[in-house]
Structure formats: structure tokens, C-alpha cells
Amino acid sequence: MNRAPIILIVEDDRDIRDVLAEILAEEGYQVLVAEDGADGLKRLAEGPTPDLILLDLMMPRMDGYQFREEQRKNPDWSAIPLVLLTAGVETSDKITALGALDVVRKPVKIDFLLDLIGGVVRRAA
């Protein structure tokens, strides 16, 4: 039985989070959302395990760097592919250290993001 790929969006901006969730759902993905890193860890613990995480870096309470550090400590979650969402100008060294597959700059170009997600999900299948 084939299931739709699951995408976890960890993003504090409600408008961005809601628009991305709606577009991805329309594209046939199962979508989980979290408003910050702490909420993202809670979603991971609750399951189901996502096939991909879209992670904002700059968030209150727990930012993307802290989320990634905690995610990597759990062997059930550490291999989940990660794509960064950022409006910042993070250095490539920081991004490489996070082990992200790619970086999507805000404002998000939806066609680029969908192509990127499609490629990641196909590789994981």
C-alpha cells in the first residue's frame, strides 16, 4: 500500500506555514505543521515520522539550529532529510554543518520548492 509522503513544516510565520501547508496538501502530500522547534520535536515524538522536514532557522523559543541539534540526537529522526527555509544570509558553513539538502530563501519560490521536494521524496521512496 502506497501512502502519500509526509512533510513536516517547522515555521513560526503563520501565513507562510499555512500557505505552504495548503499548497503541499493540494499536491498530494500529508502535511504536519509546527510553530517552532519545540513544537516540531513534539510533532516528531507524536508521529508519524515525516519523509522530509522544511525547517525555518530563525524562530522564537527554539530556533532551527536548536531543533536540528535535538533531532540529530534521536536515531529514529536523525536521517530525516532536511530543507532549510530562511530569509537570512546564513553562511554555507553553517548550512553544511546542519546537514541540509538545500536552502530555500524567503520569499519562497513555490515551483522551485515543489521540484526540490519531489526530488527528495522520489529518492527516499
Side-chain angles (χ1 to χ4, degrees):
M1 175 176 75
N2 289 344
R3 66 159 175 79
I6 301 168
I7 312 291
L8 171 60
I9 302 168
V10 184
E11 166 64 61
D12 66 313
D13 184 306
R14 176 176 291 180
D15 292 336
I16 293 172
R17 189 174 63 236
D18 290 350
V19 167
L20 288 176
E22 183 178 328
I23 290 169
L24 292 173
E26 287 174 1
E27 292 291 321
Y29 296 103
Q30 292 182 58
V31 181
L32 307 173
V33 295
E35 62 188 33
D36 61 29
D39 193 29
L41 292 174
K42 180 180 169 198
R43 295 275 182 255
L44 287 174
E46 292 171 350
T49 301
D51 298 290
L52 174 69
I53 298 171
L54 298 178
L55 178 66
D56 184 18
L57 287 178
M58 306 313 289
M59 297 178 286
R61 201 162 61 130
M62 178 185 279
D63 67 20
Y65 296 102
Q66 294 165 310
F67 169 88
R68 184 65 167 161
E69 184 179 327
E70 293 302 312
Q71 178 209 354
R72 284 178 152 172
K73 291 178 183 177
N74 185 316
D76 294 332
W77 306 338
S78 61
I80 300 169
L82 177 76
V83 171
L84 299 176
L85 300 173
T86 185
V89 288
E90 287 74 26
T91 65
S92 59
D93 289 345
K94 280 187 174 181
I95 291 166
T96 300
L98 289 172
L101 295 176
D102 211 330
V103 178
V104 175
R105 302 276 178 204
K106 297 176 187 174
V108 174
K109 292 183 173 97
I110 296 300
D111 290 341
F112 173 78
L113 181 63
L114 291 175
D115 287 346
L116 178 61
I117 291 170
V120 170
V121 171
R122 278 191 299 276
R123 273 181 270 152

